[in-house]
Amino acid sequence: FDGVVYAGTWGGEVYRLHYAPEATWLPQRRAVNGLWAWAVDLTPSGVLFAGTWGGSPFWPGILGRNEMPAGTGWEFPGLPGLPGGELTTFAVAKKTGPAGHSVFAGTWDRGLFRSDDSGRTWINVSLPTPQPVRSVSLSVNYETDRTLYVGTWGTGIYRSFDGGATWGQLNAGLGDHRIRAVAMSTNYASDGVVYAGSDSEGVLRWHPTDNRW
């Protein structure tokens, strides 16, 4: 554990918390030219991601990538398809695959995307319905079990066992399908537990024996 924390701000800046000689937030250069740095995440190997909300197709959201150990600065690989307005969430696999870490990026108006090479290139991962993606959670063993959960704003929660090639919808017991967050248990392989936060029902727990929230 290295104690490093990153934060995205209203103005599109990304900051890093430094502890020596005292706790201080320092900017990581100008990150992305957007209105808000809406989502940030970091791979175990030190690749930092930042996504913005741009506000309109004419000022689209931007995905930024920065290999922090190499010190090469920000690059902007772009996502397939038409420009969109908002990058809402990232999820990073804990273990590396053949070409790097798998990373998922959720958007408000363009769906879900996946990279299998630590964010250098991206492909679209189609959900059954084109809803805004608010949250993605990966299994701690994602590189072997390929399991992830996705929370959407409008059609609830989806689960995939093959990295997003096929999906099942998990809405039994869920009264509000506007999902703000999903989180898989660190012991998911043995307990199958998942938590979700909805817009009006608070925090819910998936009961794998009953197959309902």
Side-chain angles (χ1 to χ4, degrees), residues 11-175:
E13 192 72 80
V14 175
Y15 287 82
R16 174 173 171 164
L17 181 60
H18 291 252
Y19 289 97
E22 59 181 321
T24 305
W25 288 97
L26 298 177
Q28 301 301 292
R29 305 177 183 175
R30 182 67 181 178
V32 282
N33 187 26
L35 296 177
W36 299 299
W38 201 260
V40 293
D41 212 333
L42 185 73
T43 71
S45 59
V47 180
L48 178 65
F49 296 94
T52 71
W53 180 80
S56 76
F58 305 102
W59 190 356
I62 296 170
L63 186 152
R65 178 184 183 275
N66 194 332
E67 295 193 24
M68 302 300 290
T72 54
W74 291 94
E75 58 184 17
F76 307 99
L79 298 173
L82 297 173
E86 183 177 327
L87 275 294
T88 56
T89 187
F90 293 106
V92 177
K94 302 301 182 186
K95 300 175 183 178
T96 187
H101 289 276
S102 292
V103 185
F104 284 81
T107 72
W108 184 257
D109 51 6
R110 299 174 61 191
L112 182 65
F113 297 85
R114 188 187 78 220
S115 171
D116 292 319
D117 56 7
S118 298
R120 295 180 183 88
T121 60
W122 295 84
I123 61 171
N124 181 257
V125 180
S126 297
L127 291 170
T129 56
Q131 289 293 323
V133 175
R134 290 301 304 266
S135 182
V136 181
S137 182
L138 306 184
S139 163
V140 294
N141 300 311
Y142 171 81
E143 293 303 337
T144 54
D145 65 25
R146 309 291 284 178
T147 300
L148 69 149
Y149 286 72
V150 174
T152 68
W153 192 257
T155 54
I157 297 169
Y158 295 94
R159 178 178 63 191
S160 175
F161 293 125
D162 52 18
T166 60
W167 298 93
Q169 196 170 29
L170 303 180
N171 287 345
L174 194 64

